[in-house]
Amino acid sequence: MYSYDDLEVGQQQELSKTLTEADIDAFAEASGDRNPIHLDREYAQTQGFEDRIAHGMLLASWISAMLANRLPGPGTVYLKQSLEFRKPALPGDRLTVSLAVLEKRRRGRVRIDCRIVNLSGEDIVRGEAEVIAPNG
């Protein structure tokens, strides 16, 4: 965990993870989002995708987990998020979630760059979060 005082502009954390069909199925169950583009390979192929695709919010939840567990870490209050979904994520894709401190603001607020990339280095998700970092 990093307190507001411990954070520095440019500080980074990353975590790599393989997206599984079980991840997609569990998110569909938890969220109630049963769009066939996420759950049915054949349907997803009729829509121009190679396989069923991950929910955007599933990937966003990986960013949330990184904010809560790694940077800044436990005690972080999530205030705002902007995201752009640039490419689909498919079961079996190895993805890296990266966070980087962009700016320290008043009252413990921190702007954080958020990215998810595939093994080819292509952006899957890009965006920024604003959080309140824990007190020291």
Side-chain angles (χ1 to χ4, degrees), residues 32 49 67:
F49 297 101
L67 292 166

Side-chain angles (χ1 to χ4, degrees), residues 18-30:
T18 300
L19 177 67
T20 67
E21 290 190 3
D23 292 329
I24 295 170
D25 293 340
F27 190 83
E29 182 66 27

